[in-house]
């Protein structure tokens, strides 16, 4: 494992992500059986999105690497390769935990260089995956953001976010806060095979219902729309109808994309479960990561028509929150930058 490449041992290397005091734990309880936790102490937590990214936000926080949701399409699988960890089953079961995340974030927000920019969470791996039930990093992270009146957004498919509902509502009284829940489909058979470690889509929609009832508007990221398995007109209608019934203020569809790392794992899964679709996928994706524009436009058009029919709209840009209360910091300075590996901070289609 390349922990040494992430430390100060090599004087010619870039500043490391973690120290060398890594603690590895295997927890033999039903909810964590088969999962290994690598507890590390992060040197920085606020990560700058690469300049070439398409993402509408500039800064992210990711307290975990790897994700027990085990979504077969998750693009973030590639980031495990930076640690010489397996990007397939290893990504699902080898979870890196930044155990000092709240204290590091509090320190970074307090520096004179930080100007209170919007911070997006859940864009690489889910900050409310099962590990959060054990390590409880998010309450401290939310407290730090609230203390500084710092705007933020959360993208999740984890129902554990409801544990922190009061903290999120409290933060929303001092800064712009956005919450989005990822529900690409409500087809139960598809869910069980492509997202085996996640709460069911209907339970995720209960999160929308509960938070909206508390005065925290929640949008739904309808992602991924899975070609040939979850994109029929009836399936799209069923999903949008359920999203509307849950009280979501918006819905935005995103077609499945298959970046390196995720592509190999997903196509292996497809070959085992739906081998007849392999030629169709090769035709649709070729050697690229994204479905062709005509397909994306078709799906987006269908979902937007359904959303209008059910009285909901598109999802606001995650980084479009206005900062309400000035935070500490000198104008013109730049915050600290974390290093998650080349291009690691992208939007995960959860």
């Amino acid at each position: 494992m390349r922990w040494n490449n992430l430390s100060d041992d090599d004087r010619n290397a870039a500043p490391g992500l973690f120290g060398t005091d890594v603690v590895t734990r295997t927890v033999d309880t039903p909810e964590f059986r088969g999962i290994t936790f690598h507890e590390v102490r992060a040197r920085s937590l606020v990560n700058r999105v690469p300049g070439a990214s398409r993402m509408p936000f500039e800064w992210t926080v990711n307290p975990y690497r790897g994700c027990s949701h085990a979504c077969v399409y998750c693009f973030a699988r590639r980031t495990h390769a930076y640690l010489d960890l397996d990007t397939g089953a290893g990504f699902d079961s080898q979870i890196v935990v930044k155990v000092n995340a709240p204290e590091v974030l509090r320190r970074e927000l307090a520096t004179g260089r930080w100007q209170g920019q919007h911070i997006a969470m859940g864009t690489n791996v889910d900050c409310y995956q099962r590990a959060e039930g054990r390590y409880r990093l998010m309450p401290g992270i939310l407290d730090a953001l609230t203390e500084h009146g710092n705007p933020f957004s959360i993208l999740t498919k984890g129902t554990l976010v409801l544990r922190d509902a009061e903290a999120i509502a409290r933060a929303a009284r001092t800064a712009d806060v956005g919450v989005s829940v990822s529900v690409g489909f409500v087809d139960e058979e598809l869910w069980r095979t492509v997202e085996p470690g996640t709460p069911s889509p209907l339970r995720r929609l209960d999160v929308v219902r509960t938070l909206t009832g508390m005065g925290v508007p929640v949008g739904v990221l309808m992602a991924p729309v899975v070609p040939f398995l979850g994109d029929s007109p009836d399936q799209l209608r069923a999903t949008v109808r359920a999203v509307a019934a849950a009280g979501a203020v918006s819905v935005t569809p995103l077609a499945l994309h298959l970046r390196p790392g995720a592509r190999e794992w997903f196509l292996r899964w497809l070959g085992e479960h739906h081998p007849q679709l392999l030629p169709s996928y090769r035709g649709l994706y070729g050697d690229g990561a994204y479905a062709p524009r005509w397909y994306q436009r078709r799906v987006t058009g269908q979902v937007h028509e359904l959303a209008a029919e059910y009285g909901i709209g598109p999802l606001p840009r995650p980084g479009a929150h206005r900062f309400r209360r000035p935070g500490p910091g000198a104008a013109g300075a730049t915050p600290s930058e974390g290093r998650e590996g080349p291009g690691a901070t992208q939007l995960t289609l959860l």
Side-chain angles (χ1 to χ4, degrees):
M1 194 178 300
R2 296 170 58 190
W3 299 117
N4 287 343
N5 290 354
L6 303 177
S7 70
D8 290 336
D9 292 348
D10 182 356
R11 294 185 179 181
N12 295 319
L17 285 173
F18 317 130
T20 55
D21 53 338
V22 179
V23 177
T24 299
R25 302 183 193 277
T26 301
V27 183
D28 189 22
T29 58
E31 67 270 31
F32 297 121
R33 185 159 294 141
I35 295 179
T36 299
F37 296 109
H38 303 285
E39 299 174 359
V40 302
R41 299 191 63 80
R43 299 184 185 279
S44 64
L45 199 71
V46 181
N47 305 300
R48 189 164 201 162
V49 178
S53 171
R54 305 177 181 181
M55 296 304 104
F57 43 81
E58 192 175 358
W59 302 96
T60 66
V61 160
N62 297 294
Y64 302 99
R65 296 179 72 162
C67 186
S68 59
H69 284 341
C71 302
V72 297
Y73 50 76
C74 182
F75 97 91
R77 292 180 176 280
R78 187 182 184 185
T79 64
H80 250 35
Y82 307 144
L83 302 178
D84 277 350
L85 290 170
D86 175 56
T87 60
F91 178 83
D92 306 336
S93 61
Q94 302 282 327
I95 311 300
V96 178
V97 184
K98 302 172 187 178
V99 292
N100 61 337
E103 61 193 75
V104 173
L105 178 61
R106 185 170 279 106
R107 183 187 71 225
E108 291 182 312
L109 295 181
T111 181
R113 295 177 297 170
W114 181 249
Q115 300 177 66
Q117 296 95 325
H118 174 89
I119 289 176
M121 294 180 285
T123 60
N124 192 46
V125 299
D126 202 322
C127 50
Y128 282 104
Q129 60 176 287
R130 276 181 286 162
E132 174 60 19
R134 173 181 172 85
Y135 288 96
R136 298 183 61 87
L137 299 178
M138 285 302 294
I141 288 172
L142 294 173
D143 284 348
L145 291 166
T146 303
E147 289 168 11
H148 289 269
N150 207 101
F152 65 87
S153 59
I154 296 171
L155 171 63
T156 184
K157 59 162 57 84
T159 53
L160 187 57
V161 67
L162 291 179
R163 181 202 63 195
D164 297 338
E166 292 290 347
I168 293 169
R170 184 167 61 253
R173 293 195 286 269
T174 63
D176 279 358
V177 171
V179 178
S180 298
V181 174
S182 178
V183 181
F185 42 82
V186 292
D187 185 309
E188 187 163 313
E189 183 178 354
L190 182 59
W191 158 61
R192 290 183 184 280
T193 56
V194 301
E195 301 172 344
T198 66
S200 75
L202 295 183
R203 286 185 60 203
R204 284 176 244 162
L205 290 176
D206 284 339
V207 170
V208 177
R209 191 173 289 109
T210 300
L211 287 176
T212 300
M214 296 176 64
V216 180
V218 182
V220 166
L221 186 65
M222 191 170 160
V225 175
V226 185
F228 314 115
L229 292 172
D231 62 350
S232 74
D234 286 346
Q235 288 172 311
L236 296 178
R237 176 174 289 276
T239 302
V240 175
R241 182 171 59 239
V243 167
V249 297
S250 59
V251 59
T252 293
L254 288 174
L256 174 73
H257 72 255
L258 298 173
R259 300 181 67 174
R263 181 186 182 93
E264 296 81 2
W265 191 246
F266 178 85
L267 292 179
R268 174 180 169 181
W269 170 86
L270 192 70
E272 293 175 357
H273 293 266
H274 303 281
Q276 75 281 4
L277 291 180
L278 284 171
S280 299
Y281 267 81
R282 293 190 185 102
L284 192 63
Y285 286 88
D287 295 326
Y290 296 92
R293 289 188 180 274
W294 66 261
Y295 178 85
Q296 296 183 49
R297 288 171 179 159
R298 189 187 77 186
V299 168
T300 298
Q302 288 177 305
V303 171
H304 284 178
E305 287 179 9
L306 291 166
E309 179 181 336
Y310 287 106
I312 52 179
L315 182 69
R317 288 161 56 93
H321 303 276
R322 292 171 301 155
F323 187 39
R324 291 178 179 167
R325 191 178 72 187
T334 58
S336 60
E337 297 182 19
R339 296 175 176 83
E340 292 284 351
T345 306
Q346 302 288 341
L347 181 64
T348 303
L349 301 189
L350 293 167

